[in-house]
Amino acid sequence: MEEKKLKLDTNDLSYVRIKGGNRLEGVVSPDGAKNSALIQLASLVLVDGNFVTLKNLPLISDVYDSIEMIKETGLKTKLVDNEVTIMGEPSSFEFSAYYGSKIRASLAFLGSVLSKFGQVKLPLPGGDKIGERPIDIHVDVLEAFDIEVAIRNGFVFAKARTFPLKGSSVFLRFPSVLATVNGILLGVLAEGKTVLNNVAKEPEIVDLTNLLTKMGARINGVGTDRITIVGVTELNSTTHEVMPDRLEAAALMMSIVMTEGKGTVENTIPEHNIPLIETLRRCGIDVVTDGDKVHIDAVNFNKGFQVETRPFPGLATDVQPLITPLGLKCPEESIITDNVFQERFSHVDELRKMGAQIDRFNNTIHIKPNNKLSGASVEGGDIRTVVTLINAALSIDDDSKVYGVEHLNRGHSKFIEKLKLLNADIEIIN
Ligand code: EPU
């Protein structure tokens, strides 16, 4: 009965059973980056007669949904292990409501399909429930390319007034990641020059433009506030390896830290996680980076921390829930402000069920030090919250259940197996 009450948002009754208290030890690697793979898949509508192979694809449900969306355009896909090849010619600019409405990254099909066809019908996106997620900046970007946009019956209908598109000058009022992706995808085949101002600098944007450049796109300024693109008439075949997932790396680092463990996250790019690494060091945790490895020895928790999320290279909003339970282990109060998603605090109520003392003031939380947690049944409604709760449960010498397995599967492949390799007592109960 109690568990039925807990399950408000989902029909999925599976959960993660955790017996915490084991110190995690060993070496672990993240898979390919979800948010990179998803925008790269969407960009491949531009393949048109050629073929592109993406390697190191994470086998997660968001990726499977994106591949289904590619099929809806008429392109052919071949998935073998962690490698997908996209080939053929797209023939449709209309998507069903089914796949696109499950994921946020479906928005990136706006740019690729408009670039190819000059029109699109796309369902409004889904994805994590982490507060307000309007699409007004996407609409601004489309309108800057002289594209008319209407939203009706749960779909975005967009049509270019002039096609082929003409290059444009665009200013984003906030450096939105997916709106930057749309600006890039509209610019690569547009006639003449496109200038995108105040763009996102996230590593996933750099990885996307590395792929597009290999395909023959002419893009400059990536990783700065201004991207310039000179349109080309067609793109070529290529092969590209998706970068490692910086957020899965962060999640695994926090699994080791929360259990006062000693381990290495390898096959990662430590520069993608500098704000997290510096926060851990500030608390007294021993973190050493060495090439593609991050070595962690979490014995000392000497201080609290105060951090704010910002667009890259600032602390990622996705890391904000992950580091919240760290504050509970510190000997001083810790303070976290989320400036990117101001309502992204659903983990706080769940952590309170485990005994956490956390006060929230708008988009800032104050975490009381030296909190002793106890096992509980809790539920995460988005990817990062589920992982946060798993990590908190791993640190408690008690049994816990974490619901929200469907969200875990949207964002991570074999995450529980990775934790088991590190000596966690954990399993999924279906
Ligand atoms: N925003 C607007 N209007 C828009 C678009 C965004 O006001 O038209 C606001 C958002 O409400 C938010 C801020 O701008 O306050 C940043 O949103 P952004 O557009 O950058 O987020 P996104 O592109 O929709 C991606 C990731 C998220 C990640 C954010 C921020 C994908 C598929 N998603 O979303 O990842 O949190 O960037 O870095 O790439 C996750 O992986 O768990 C996840 C939620």
Side-chain angles (χ1 to χ4, degrees):
M1 183 63 198
E2 190 202 352
E3 267 161 34
K4 272 200 184 138
K5 261 198 283 171
L6 195 72
K7 305 299 303 161
L8 294 175
D9 301 344
T10 166
N11 295 319
D12 184 358
L13 287 175
S14 52
Y15 61 90
V16 185
R17 179 203 61 77
I18 300 143
K19 178 158 181 43
N22 286 4
R23 195 167 181 241
L24 297 200
E25 283 179 339
V27 181
V28 68
S29 297
D31 275 50
K34 169 184 82 98
N35 291 343
S36 245
L38 297 179
I39 56 180
Q40 290 177 24
L41 285 168
S43 78
L44 294 183
V45 174
L46 301 177
V47 161
D48 210 0
N50 294 313
F51 67 89
V52 172
T53 299
L54 292 182
K55 298 182 169 191
N56 200 29
L57 208 63
L59 299 178
I60 52 177
S61 61
D62 275 14
V63 160
Y64 296 128
D65 287 333
S66 296
I67 291 176
E68 292 304 321
M69 289 187 74
I70 291 180
K71 289 185 192 162
E72 287 188 322
T73 68
L75 282 162
K76 302 268 176 293
T77 66
K78 185 171 165 215
L79 179 65
V80 181
D81 300 327
N82 293 76
E83 221 174 279
V84 71
T85 301
I86 313 291
M87 60 215 133
E89 285 179 29
S91 52
S92 170
F93 55 82
E94 295 188 330
F95 293 91
S96 72
Y98 191 67
Y99 301 105
S101 63
K102 291 203 263 178
I103 54 177
R104 178 76 181 173
S106 58
L107 275 175
F109 282 92
L110 283 177
S112 59
V113 173
L114 281 162
S115 215
K116 167 73 190 132
F117 292 103
Q119 51 187 323
V120 68
K121 177 187 171 192
L122 185 81
L124 285 166
D128 286 331
K129 307 281 177 289
I130 50 179
E132 292 273 296
R133 297 186 86 176
I135 63 162
D136 54 325
I137 302 175
H138 295 263
V139 174
D140 287 352
V141 171
L142 267 50
E143 283 176 348
F145 282 88
D146 204 18
I147 295 166
E148 206 173 352
V149 185
I151 297 173
R152 284 194 311 271
N153 307 328
F155 283 86
V156 182
F157 294 84
K159 189 165 184 186
R161 290 191 188 88
T162 42
F163 190 73
L165 300 175
K166 302 240 178 318
S168 178
S169 176
V170 184
F171 171 76
L172 281 68
R173 68 168 175 79
F174 185 89
S176 154
V177 176
L178 288 171
T180 300
V181 170
N182 276 326
I184 293 169
L185 294 176
L186 291 170
V188 284
L189 294 183
E191 284 175 5
K193 187 169 167 185
T194 290
V195 183
L196 306 170
N197 294 291
N198 197 30
V199 289
K201 295 181 266 209
E202 267 64 4
E204 291 76 11
I205 300 281
V206 179
D207 204 24
L208 171 70
T209 54
N210 286 342
L211 163 67
L212 293 170
T213 304
K214 282 188 202 168
M215 290 168 74
R218 293 176 58 198
I219 308 173
N220 273 307
V222 178
T224 73
D225 293 319
R226 178 181 294 122
I227 292 177
T228 54
I229 304 171
V230 177
V232 295
T233 47
E234 62 174 341
L235 296 170
N236 319 313
S237 301
T238 195
T239 297
H240 182 73
E241 183 164 332
V242 176
M243 71 176 205
D245 197 318
R246 63 189 170 114
L247 301 174
E248 184 162 87
L252 292 165
M253 285 162 64
M254 288 311 304
S255 310
I256 296 168
V257 166
M258 287 307 294
T259 62
E260 300 177 22
K262 181 175 180 174
T264 299
V265 180
E266 65 174 11
N267 298 318
T268 183
I269 302 173
E271 292 72 26
H272 290 174
N273 270 314
I274 286 173
L276 169 62
I277 290 171
E278 290 304 326
T279 305
L280 295 175
R281 286 180 177 151
R282 145 101 206 169
C283 296
I285 295 157
D286 200 2
V287 187
V288 177
T289 63
D290 168 19
D292 69 350
K293 298 180 180 56
V294 180
H295 304 287
I296 297 172
D297 191 355
V299 180
N300 297 316
F301 294 78
N302 298 334
K303 286 185 174 164
F305 60 93
Q306 180 161 5
V307 288
E308 297 198 12
T309 68
R310 301 256 176 234
F312 192 85
L315 177 76
T317 170
D318 309 274
V319 174
Q320 178 269 111
L322 296 172
I323 60 166
T324 300
L326 170 65
L328 301 166
K329 293 183 81 73
C330 293
E332 297 169 348
E333 183 177 78
S334 298
I335 301 176
I336 309 180
T337 300
D338 198 326
N339 296 306
V340 178
F341 286 106
Q342 307 210 344
E343 296 295 325
R344 193 173 195 162
F345 291 107
S346 65
H347 55 292
V348 168
D349 268 343
E350 299 303 302
L351 288 171
R352 284 182 185 137
K353 291 180 190 163
M354 294 173 147
Q357 291 177 47
I358 303 175
D359 294 324
R360 180 175 165 199
F361 308 94
N362 302 317
N363 62 333
T364 297
I365 53 173
H366 291 236
I367 308 160
K368 295 274 178 298
N370 291 324
N371 241 218
K372 182 121 182 60
L373 301 185
S374 50
S377 278
V378 289
E379 178 173 4
D382 64 85
I383 302 165
R384 313 302 162 197
T385 298
V386 175
V387 174
T388 298
L389 298 173
I390 290 174
N391 283 345
L394 286 172
S395 75
I396 308 168
D397 199 359
D398 202 351
D399 296 321
S400 294
K401 291 180 181 178
V402 177
Y403 288 88
V405 173
E406 73 275 29
H407 298 290
L408 186 67
N409 293 339
R410 282 191 37 233
H412 295 280
S413 167
K414 301 200 170 133
F415 192 70
I416 302 302
E417 282 79 352
K418 287 170 189 151
L419 294 176
K420 274 187 186 159
L421 270 179
L422 294 173
N423 189 36
D425 187 347
I426 186 166
E427 64 183 329
I428 294 183
I429 309 289
N430 284 304

